[in-house]
């Protein structure tokens, strides 16, 4: 996910930066330069904020939808692992009962 040099910004800072883009009429790049942050970071925050306000591109997921998708994928992965374990256990006990 990022290396040891990745900067972490607070949610408040991100909200303020997004609000600055909305209120100033400046480009994302110009605001990022003023704040001393990566324009790609600010662009990503801005895109997610627009999606959360239902102003994003059609089909773009909101933060809540992304979180739910992440949770469901994790749950699915865990269930698949459980199924594999149960298959192996079933095969083992079938061999044992044949003896």
């Amino acid at each position: 996910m990022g290396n040891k040099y990745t900067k972490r910004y607070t949610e408040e800072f991100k909200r303020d930066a997004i609000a600055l883009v909305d209120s100033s009429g400046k480009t994302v790049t110009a605001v990022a330069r003023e704040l001393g942050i990566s324009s790609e970071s600010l662009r990503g925050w801005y895109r997610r904020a627009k999606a959360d306000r239902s102003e994003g591109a059609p089909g773009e997921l909101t933060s809540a939808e992304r979180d739910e998708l992440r949770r469901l994928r994790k749950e699915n992965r865990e269930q698949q692992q459980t199924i594999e374990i149960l298959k192996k256990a079933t095969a083992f006990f079938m061999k044992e009962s044949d003896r």
Side-chain angles (χ1 to χ4, degrees):
M1 253 195 121
N3 58 31
K4 63 183 178 179
Y5 301 109
T6 302
K7 264 189 167 177
R8 300 285 179 189
Y9 298 100
T10 64
E11 290 303 314
E12 181 182 13
F13 178 82
K14 293 176 184 180
R15 275 193 307 274
D16 291 346
I18 291 163
L20 189 58
V21 171
D22 284 334
S23 65
S24 69
K26 296 179 182 176
T27 65
V28 170
T29 305
V31 172
R33 193 174 303 122
E34 286 177 11
L35 296 174
I37 61 175
S38 162
S39 61
E40 288 306 309
S41 293
L42 182 54
R43 189 169 285 108
W45 303 339
Y46 189 70
R47 189 176 301 125
R48 276 186 231 114
K50 284 181 69 173
D52 289 346
R53 296 185 307 231
S54 299
E55 299 172 3
E60 191 169 6
L61 299 176
T62 64
S63 294
E65 291 169 332
R66 272 194 305 282
D67 290 344
E68 181 181 16
L69 182 59
R70 189 176 302 115
R71 181 186 62 77
L72 290 171
R73 284 181 175 163
K74 180 181 178 187
E75 186 178 308
N76 187 35
R77 192 170 41 254
E78 290 169 353
Q79 289 175 350
Q80 290 298 324
Q81 290 172 345
T82 301
I83 289 169
E84 287 303 312
I85 291 169
L86 292 173
K87 283 181 181 178
K88 289 177 183 178
T90 301
F92 173 79
F93 286 116
M94 290 297 287
K95 283 184 191 176
E96 289 295 311
S97 67
D98 289 344
R99 288 185 187 182

